[in-house]
Amino acid sequence: METKDIYVFAQQTDSVFENVVFELLSEARKLCDTINVTLPDFKVVALLLGYSVKNNVKTLFEHGADRVIVCDHPNLAHYSTEKYTDVVSQIITTYHPDSLLIGATVVGRDLAPRIAARVDTGLTADATKIEIDPTGEHPTQLWITRPAFGGNLFGTIVCPNHRPQMSTIRPNVLDSDFFQHGRTGEILELEYKNDSESLVKFLSRIPKEEHGVNIAKARIIFSGGRGMSGHFDLLEECARQVGGVVAASRGAVDMGEAPKDVQVGQTGKTVRPTLYIACGISGAVQHTAGMDKSEYIIAINKDPQAAIFSVATLGIVGDALEILPHLVEEIQKLQQHSES
Ligand SMILES: Cc1cc2nc3c(=O)[nH]c(=O)nc-3n(C[C@H](O)[C@H](O)[C@H](O)COP(=O)(O)OP(=O)(O)OC[C@H]3O[C@@H](n4cnc5c(N)ncnc54)[C@H](O)[C@@H]3O)c2cc1C
C-alpha cells in the first residue's frame, strides 16, 4: 500500500500549542525538504484535535505544515486516550501517512503506544534525533535515535516493514527555527463519527500547581551537582544576581539538594538555555543528554579529567565555590555592557 507524508500531532490545551509541536513541524519540514528532492509530492501534515480549535490552523501553517487535518468536536475538548486514539487511528487507516511524529509529553507518551498497537506498527519512544536514511537507499526511511541501556549508548532504530513510522520526540531537543509569517496551506475538516459509549467520564480538570521555576524555558541556568552539596544557596544567589535559575544533576537531587522538578538529563528535563553553567557535575552521559544543546556551556570542576569538559564551550578547572563569585561578576559586566 502506498504511504505518503509526514504527520505531526499538534498537541494543544485550551488552544495553546505545546512548544514541541513547533519543534516537530520544523523538523518535519527539513525531513520533507530532503524527501522532496526525489518525491516532490511529500507533505508535512498537522493533526489538530480538540474543540473550538479551528482558528489555530494558521499557526501550524506558519510553523511548517502544508496541510492541517482538523477534527473539532465537544467530545475532544479534553484529552482522552480512548477518543484521541480512535480519531488518530481512523486518520491513519484513511490517509496512510508514511510517518507520524508526536511530542514525548505526558499526553504523547500515553497516546503514541496506543495508536502504534492499534494500527500495528512500531514506535521509537523518547527519541533525540531523526534523519532520513543517510545511505540514500530508501528516500523516506527514518533513522530515529534514542538513548538505550540506561543512557550509556544511543541506538538508531528503523521501522522498515510497517507504516507509519512512529516516534515520540523529547521536547527541547530539536530546533523550532521554521517560521514564515502569513504562510497558508490546505485545511481538511474531519467529521467526528465516534458515538460509542466511553469507559471514562470526564469530570473536571485540575491544573497542576506550578512550583518554582520552569528550567525548560530559562535563558541562564546555574546547575549544581554533587560537588556543590551544601552550597546550593550560592547557586541561588548567583542566579538571582544575573536573572538565571537553578537546576541540578540527579546526583544532587538524590542527595536532597534540589527538587526533582529541576533535574536535568535523561530522566529529568531537557534544557537549551543561552548559558548553562555546570558546577561540580561530573558529566555522566545521562546528564549531558539533557543539556548538551545549550548555546554556551561553562563547566567548573576540580577534576581536569571530568567528562563534562567534553561538552563544554569553556572549561574551568578549580573549586566552584571560589570561581562562581568571579564568574557572576564577569557576567554582570557583560550584561551591563550589552544594555548600555
Ligand atoms: C537510568 C539512569 C538515568 C539517569 N538519569 C540522570 C539524569 O536525568 N540526570 C543526571 O544528572 N543523572 C542521571 N543519572 C545519574 C548519572 O549517571 C550520574 O550518576 C549523575 O549525573 C552524577 O551526578 P553528579 O555529576 O552531580 O555527581 P558526581 O558524578 O559525583 O560528580 C561530582 C563532581 O563534582 C566535582 N566536584 C566536587 N567538588 C567540587 C567543587 N568544590 N568544585 C568543582 N567541582 C567539584 C567532582 O570532581 C565530580 O566530577 C542517571 C543514571 C541512570 C543509570
Side-chain angles (χ1 to χ4, degrees):
M1 181 186 310
E2 197 202 342
T3 57
K4 213 170 129 300
D5 303 332
I6 300 177
Y7 282 38
V8 170
F9 176 66
Q11 187 189 335
Q12 53 80 38
T13 310
D14 296 335
S15 291
V16 178
F17 289 110
E18 292 287 326
N19 274 341
V20 70
V21 172
F22 305 132
E23 293 161 14
L24 295 182
L25 285 173
S26 279
E27 189 67 15
R29 189 68 274 146
K30 283 177 212 153
L31 296 169
C32 215
D33 290 346
T34 308
I35 294 171
N36 285 159
V37 174
T38 40
L39 300 165
D41 237 15
F42 242 68
K43 291 190 167 42
V44 176
V45 180
L47 302 183
L48 178 56
L49 277 59
Y51 182 47
S52 291
V53 288
K54 280 183 205 161
N55 291 341
N56 301 317
V57 290
K58 179 173 168 279
T59 315
L60 298 171
F61 291 134
E62 289 184 329
H63 280 87
D66 299 308
R67 179 186 298 145
V68 180
I69 300 179
V70 192
C71 192
D72 198 303
H73 192 275
N75 283 1
L76 300 173
H78 304 286
Y79 172 71
S80 132
T81 313
E82 281 177 302
K83 291 174 190 147
Y84 274 55
T85 302
D86 286 348
V87 175
V88 178
S89 303
Q90 183 197 333
I91 291 172
I92 291 172
T93 47
T94 310
Y95 297 104
H96 312 296
D98 194 63
S99 48
L100 169 60
L101 310 180
I102 298 179
T105 59
V106 173
V107 164
R109 285 172 174 170
D110 178 68
L111 179 65
R114 294 284 187 130
I115 297 170
R118 183 80 62 87
V119 302
D120 191 23
T121 190
L123 167 70
T124 305
D126 223 14
T128 52
K129 186 177 161 197
I130 305 183
E131 59 191 326
I132 300 288
D133 174 4
T135 68
E137 215 172 302
H138 304 286
T140 66
Q141 181 71 62
L142 298 182
W143 285 32
I144 304 174
T145 302
R146 54 150 295 150
F149 293 103
N152 291 309
L153 286 175
F154 284 88
T156 299
I157 295 167
V158 294
C159 178
N161 300 326
H162 293 262
R163 289 294 184 265
Q165 308 168 80
M166 279 188 65
S167 179
T168 55
I169 297 99
R170 285 194 133 208
N172 260 339
V173 298
L174 303 171
D175 290 318
S176 62
D177 46 9
F178 186 93
F179 183 81
Q180 273 178 18
H181 181 70
R183 189 173 179 275
T184 58
E186 183 193 346
I187 302 171
L188 214 149
E189 288 191 36
L190 196 82
E191 200 187 329
Y192 180 81
K193 289 190 190 135
N194 189 347
D195 27 64
S196 59
E197 192 66 29
S198 175
L199 294 172
V200 179
K201 192 170 176 188
F202 179 83
L203 297 178
S204 70
R205 191 176 74 210
I206 304 165
K208 185 182 169 195
E209 273 182 50
E210 290 290 341
H211 294 292
V213 291
N214 183 354
I215 58 165
K217 292 189 177 154
R219 291 189 56 238
I220 301 181
I221 295 180
F222 284 84
S223 194
R226 237 183 297 218
M228 287 301 289
S229 35
H231 301 286
F232 265 63
D233 51 343
L234 175 63
L235 291 176
E236 290 288 353
E237 179 53 23
C238 293
R240 194 190 60 71
Q241 287 187 32
V242 299
V245 303
V246 172
S249 71
R250 178 153 147 189
V253 170
D254 287 349
M255 289 182 82
E257 294 287 344
K260 174 87 171 96
D261 264 9
V262 302
Q263 182 185 312
V264 172
Q266 192 197 320
T267 43
K269 292 197 170 122
T270 304
V271 295
R272 297 187 85 165
T274 316
L275 177 59
Y276 188 89
I277 305 163
C279 310
I281 295 177
S282 57
V285 65
Q286 296 91 350
H287 183 81
T288 55
M291 47 65 79
D292 62 358
K293 299 263 169 43
S294 305
E295 226 169 275
Y296 200 96
I297 299 169
I298 299 178
I300 312 174
N301 199 302
K302 278 180 174 174
D303 174 6
Q305 305 300 326
I308 193 75
F309 290 129
S310 66
V311 296
T313 327
L314 172 70
I316 306 174
V317 179
D319 187 337
L321 304 180
E322 285 169 21
I323 292 161
L324 264 173
H326 299 293
L327 185 65
V328 167
E329 228 173 87
E330 291 306 314
I331 297 172
Q332 277 178 323
K333 277 189 209 157
L334 284 173
Q335 286 180 326
Q336 280 156 12
H337 181 71
S338 66
E339 276 162 19
S340 60

